Amino acid sequence: MNQILNGIKKENPIFILLLGLCPALAVTHHFESAYIMGLCVIVVLLFSNLTVSIIKKLIPENVKIPVFIIIIATFVTALDMLIKAYIPDLHATLGIYLPLITVNCIVLGRAIAVASKESVKKSLTDAIGIGLGFLLALALVGFVRELLAYNTITIMSDLTRLTCYSMVYKITPFDLKLALFSSPAGAFLTLGFLLALFKYMGGRGVKHELN
């Protein structure tokens, strides 16, 4: 449990390690696309960490990184093909950022730092923690951006077509819509404010521990 909480808080990929910032800026215009991208990364992390941990002793030291990339690319390609076949609108929305999970520093970094050295159990736990940290960070950015830009929160829409009805909720009775936050500039602003908030909260935590 501590390892999972560590990935969410102390080693949060976006707010602490500053990794995976491209999808954090590109696919967070709606809460729905943000959390679904986070789920995709969790799936890839779990399967790649599992595979690397199982076969780590069979991989020669001088070709480890190429082999890890091939393993990650295999799972990303399979996921990309599944989403394209069954949820084409979602595939179009996620765009190039779905196949780019292959070169996401989070996934390769965990394969090198953890899965290639630790047991299967520890590798899976690490994948869950880091994956959840990434998912929650993306979801938070998407939540803030959609709220400010459209005054809605989209949990499930026609985009995913997984249900027969949409789940889009208007948050306030006011027609407050700041179009800036639906743009790339709004993504940078949102991420910047959230980074500052987490930095401030982390600093306060350190002070309390010292006291």
Side-chain angles (χ1 to χ4, degrees), residues 9-31:
K9 187 178 179 181
K10 293 183 179 179
E11 291 188 33
N12 187 281
I14 291 178
F15 295 135
I16 304 300
L17 303 180
L18 300 180
L19 300 175
L21 295 184
C22 286
L25 296 171
V27 300
T28 55
H29 44 84
H30 282 84
F31 178 71

Side-chain angles (χ1 to χ4, degrees), residues 34-50:
Y35 80 76
I36 289 177
M37 173 59 84
L39 289 174
C40 291
V41 171
I42 287 180
V43 170
V44 175
L45 266 170
L46 281 170
F47 282 103
S48 59
N49 269 22
L50 174 63

Side-chain angles (χ1 to χ4, degrees), residues 38-101:
L39 289 174
C40 291
V41 171
I42 287 180
V43 170
V44 175
L45 266 170
L46 281 170
F47 282 103
S48 59
N49 269 22
L50 174 63
T51 305
V52 169
S53 183
I54 290 173
I55 68 171
K56 59 180 180 289
K57 293 182 179 180
L58 303 176
I59 305 173
E61 189 67 32
N62 60 332
V63 294
K64 275 190 174 181
I65 292 179
V67 171
F68 293 166
I69 293 175
I70 291 172
I71 291 170
I72 294 167
T74 300
F75 291 117
V76 171
T77 302
L79 184 62
D80 182 67
M81 292 172 68
L82 282 171
I83 293 176
K84 186 175 183 180
Y86 293 102
I87 322 175
D89 290 340
L90 176 62
H91 185 271
T93 297
L94 297 179
I96 189 62
Y97 297 99
L98 185 57
L100 279 179
I101 294 175

